[in-house]
Amino acid sequence: FEDDMENPQSPQQRPPLLQQCCNELHQEEPLCVCPTLKGASKAVKQQGQQLQQVISRIYQTATHLPKVCNIPQVSVCPFQKTMPGPSY
Amino acid sequence: PAGPFRIPKCRKEFQQAQHLRACQQWLHKQAMQSGSG
């Protein structure tokens, strides 16, 4: 089996923590899944993750969580990717 | 009289200490585990 974070997993295959996350998302209104995920991502970022690569990874993971968790009516959350500007 | 249909209100005031706590932990774990590649 390939372990790709973009591929949906059956509940039996999910790590316990991911399963808990999926349970939380399933309790949300479909329209609120992405906004709340964005809030969660922001909260994690504010916990001290200042590295651009880490921040990008947070949002990248959050983007595909609805699909991974098989959330109805939601496939991905189109978060805006953080784009560092030119450093000159 | 039926009022106007109201879209489900999302929780604007995000409570980072409680809401989607498992998801926050999962996002943090995934971000920190990411290596080169």
Side-chain angles (χ1 to χ4, degrees):
Chain A
F1 294 98
E2 293 182 358
D3 186 12
D4 191 342
M5 69 176 181
E6 296 184 18
N7 290 334
Q9 297 177 335
S10 62
Q12 292 80 12
Q13 294 175 325
R14 295 172 187 154
L17 186 57
L18 177 58
Q19 182 56 44
Q20 292 179 30
C21 173
C22 291
N23 291 340
E24 293 176 343
L25 291 179
H26 276 284
Q27 294 175 3
E28 292 292 331
E29 293 285 345
L31 288 176
C32 294
V33 167
C34 287
T36 49
L37 262 179
K38 184 177 182 179
S41 301
K42 184 177 180 180
V44 175
K45 183 180 69 173
Q46 290 178 339
Q47 288 173 8
Q49 311 304 328
Q50 301 296 333
L51 292 176
Q52 188 65 41
Q53 184 178 1
V54 175
I55 294 173
S56 297
R57 184 74 177 185
I58 291 172
Y59 281 98
Q60 184 181 6
T61 303
T63 294
H64 298 285
L65 267 181
K67 184 176 182 179
V68 172
C69 295
N70 292 318
I71 304 298
Q73 303 179 38
V74 184
S75 179
V76 297
C77 294
F79 295 138
Q80 290 183 345
K81 295 181 179 178
T82 53
M83 299 176 62
S87 57
Y88 57 83
Chain B
F5 177 78
R6 299 180 64 179
I7 298 176
K9 181 180 179 181
C10 299
R11 304 173 193 180
K12 294 181 179 179
E13 295 183 358
F14 183 80
Q15 299 177 353
Q16 65 181 35
Q18 296 179 359
H19 200 48
L20 293 185
R21 189 174 185 87
C23 289
Q24 290 183 40
Q25 294 176 358
W26 177 252
L27 291 174
H28 182 270
K29 181 179 179 181
Q30 289 298 301
M32 299 309 294
Q33 282 184 347
S34 66
S36 60

